[in-house]
Amino acid sequence: MILLFILNVFEIIIIMLSREKPSVFSHCYMDAVSMEISPESLSSIDDGGPIPLEDVLLAKDKPVPGKTIFLLETSCPCSDSQFDLLALTSRQACAIESAALHNPNLQVFVLLACQTSRHQSDPITDAIISYKNVKLRHVNLWRFAEGTPVEDWVKKDELFRSRYLMNNISDLLRLLSLYRFGGIYMDMDVVVLRSFEDEPLNFVGVESEKYIGNAVISLDPKGSGHKLGELFLRDFQKNYNGDIWAYNGPRNIFTVMTEVCDTDDVHLMEKDRNRCQGMKVFPSNAFYEIDGGQWTHFFEPKFANETLERLKNSYLTHIWNRISTRRSLRVDSKAAYIQLATEHCPRVLAATKDRFD
């Protein structure tokens, strides 16, 4: 009992300290200079060096409002170099390729939260940028928040007083992306199974009986979608808690949807789009047919046929990287994940040497 008491006190102290000052990793995200490519960076391109990614707001090709799919990479290696090197896993690249493959008329913007450059020749990266609609960009959080409801709050660095900084930045950036441009956000650990091009914007999906997920969110850049984007951002700021895992993600979406739909019953939200101000709530089989408790079904061949059959009516499937990340597969495996990759991200699978992870 004494040991348990000591451990509890220690945890409380850690939480209090994390609230008093920004995360030690906050400097990885802070850049005081513009990400416009310098002459020095251009010279490194000429001699075969890494290519710095352009800032999404400074680049010539910007996201097309309402016609863009966003994916985010918010981890930061925190190296001493000016730019971190892009190192997408096969899984991440599969999410990107499957989005681009099934939605050729939409732009697919992959936003990286840290100053990043890419190798001029990397098989996995080459596989995804071979799609003309894929764009790799850096995002400066502070610049990205300018002109939004959370601009002043972001400048105060309250966001960085967090035990789960990378996840909270991801939760915020997806909302900022949709507030600025509209379109569709999806996590980097999904496989897109069919097109979203004919699906009207403004939708989320039920993840469980009493839960709306934030792995897939769509908002229109104008009208009710933009108003919902503002509500999501204001709720994020008002109820932000950096000490609880996933608190600022799905909770944020569910809280706002409960207010907008005037009910906390997700099944009522599904049945009547009109009561939710035009926001469609997909049933769980649309994005989360295989739930987190069944993540092994993607990796064990004995579940392959059942898993693929269950996904026949899904728009995409979530692979649950947080709990499955240590599970690796050979590229010649009969597991459902590899079969999905064969059909929905063939170029990435072909570029992967031995292990798909």
Side-chain angles (χ1 to χ4, degrees), residues 6-24:
I6 293 173
L7 291 174
N8 288 337
V9 171
F10 181 74
E11 183 174 4
I12 291 172
I13 292 173
I14 293 297
I15 292 174
M16 291 177 65
L17 289 174
S18 70
R19 287 172 175 165
E20 290 174 358
K21 59 182 180 180
S23 163
V24 294

Side-chain angles (χ1 to χ4, degrees), residues 329-343:
L329 287 170
R330 290 185 55 83
V331 294
D332 58 357
S333 170
K334 301 300 181 182
Y337 198 175
I338 298 300
Q339 294 190 52
L340 291 171
T342 300
E343 180 177 356

Side-chain angles (χ1 to χ4, degrees), residues 158-176:
E158 178 68 23
L159 173 67
F160 292 97
R161 293 175 174 84
S162 169
R163 301 176 68 192
Y164 306 102
L165 181 57
M166 179 182 72
N167 304 93
N168 290 322
I169 287 179
S170 177
D171 289 334
L172 179 58
L173 279 177
R174 71 190 66 184
L175 299 179
L176 287 171

